[in-house]
């Protein structure tokens, strides 16, 4: 299997967190890259939005799936990254973010994620989505890709004042969904 030129093996491995399973050929490819079965399984088990296997079998397929598509929207970030939002006619996976207005205040819990406290809500199922977000560097290298609507990074010092304001307001009004 040939990998996409703009997606490295490391970037594809990082994207495994948005898959529940991968085909045997791709699993063997990651083993050949030097990853262990445990590392692959840990990545697949990470909490987050997930692609439906009927849409995509492995990260290397993503570039082919969007190859001829025009993004619905592009967001240029001050750190040099470009987030492209694609919309499909069918459901492609699950979304991990919900508007806060769809929850009761008593349902909100606070969790630590990458050193940042985030607000979350527990749900039995994640909502399905037909949106795909792909974030790349200005040179076209894949940073991340996930099913769901665009969500900005958490407020950070690298952001322009406009981005910081947008991210702050967004995360004040949105929650992560934790599947229980």
């Amino acid at each position: 299997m040939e990998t996409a030129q703009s997606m490295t093996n490391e970037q594809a491995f990082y994207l495994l967190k948005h898959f529940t399973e991968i085909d045997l050929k791709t699993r063997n490819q990651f083993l050949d890259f030097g990853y262990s079965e445990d590392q692959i399984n840990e990545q697949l088990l990470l909490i987050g939005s997930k692609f439906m296997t009927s849409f995509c079998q492995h990260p290397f397929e993503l570039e082919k799936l969007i190859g001829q598509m025009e993004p619905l929207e592009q967001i240029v970030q001050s750190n040099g990254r470009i987030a492209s939002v694609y919309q499909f006619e069918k459901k492609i996976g699950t979304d991990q973010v919900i508007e806060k207005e769809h929850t009761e205040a008593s349902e909100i819990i606070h969790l630590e994620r990458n050193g940042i406290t985030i607000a979350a809500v527990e749900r039995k199922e994640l909502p399905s989505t037909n949106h795909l977000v792909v974030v790349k560097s200005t040179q076209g290298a894949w940073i991340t890709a996930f099913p769901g609507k665009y969500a900005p990074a958490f407020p950070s010092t690298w952001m322009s004042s406009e981005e910081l304001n947008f991210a702050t307001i967004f995360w004040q009004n949105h929650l992560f969904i934790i599947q229980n």
Side-chain angles (χ1 to χ4, degrees), residues 3-19 22 26 29-30 33 35 43 46 51 58-63 81 134-146:
T3 61
Q5 288 184 355
S6 61
M7 184 186 300
T8 67
N9 300 331
E10 292 81 16
Q11 291 160 338
F13 182 77
Y14 174 77
L15 295 181
L16 282 181
K17 69 182 186 174
H18 293 292
F19 291 80
I22 53 175
T26 305
Q29 186 176 4
F30 281 112
F33 296 153
Y35 295 102
Q43 200 70 354
L46 286 175
F51 290 107
H58 53 79
F60 299 113
E61 272 188 313
L62 291 171
E63 191 156 51
R81 295 176 176 178
V134 176
V135 180
K136 293 183 179 183
S137 71
T138 53
Q139 293 79 29
W142 287 68
I143 307 297
T144 192
F146 54 89

Side-chain angles (χ1 to χ4, degrees), residues 4 34 45 50 67 70 75 97 110 112 164:
L45 290 173
K50 302 288 185 177
E70 287 296 320
I75 299 102
V97 177
H110 293 85
E112 191 78 16
L164 182 61

Side-chain angles (χ1 to χ4, degrees), residues 52-104:
M52 295 173 155
T53 54
S54 59
F55 171 71
C56 188
Q57 294 287 311
H58 53 79
F60 299 113
E61 272 188 313
L62 291 171
E63 191 156 51
K64 180 180 162 189
L65 288 167
I66 64 167
Q68 302 302 316
M69 292 182 72
E70 287 296 320
L72 184 65
E73 177 182 16
Q74 285 196 307
I75 299 102
V76 178
Q77 302 170 339
S78 64
N79 62 357
R81 295 176 176 178
I82 301 166
S84 299
V85 180
Y86 298 89
Q87 184 173 345
F88 292 82
E89 291 183 18
K90 62 181 181 178
K91 301 297 182 190
I92 66 161
T94 58
D95 201 344
Q96 185 101 34
V97 177
I98 190 172
E99 291 178 24
K100 195 181 267 187
E101 69 184 30
H102 298 297
T103 62
E104 298 293 325

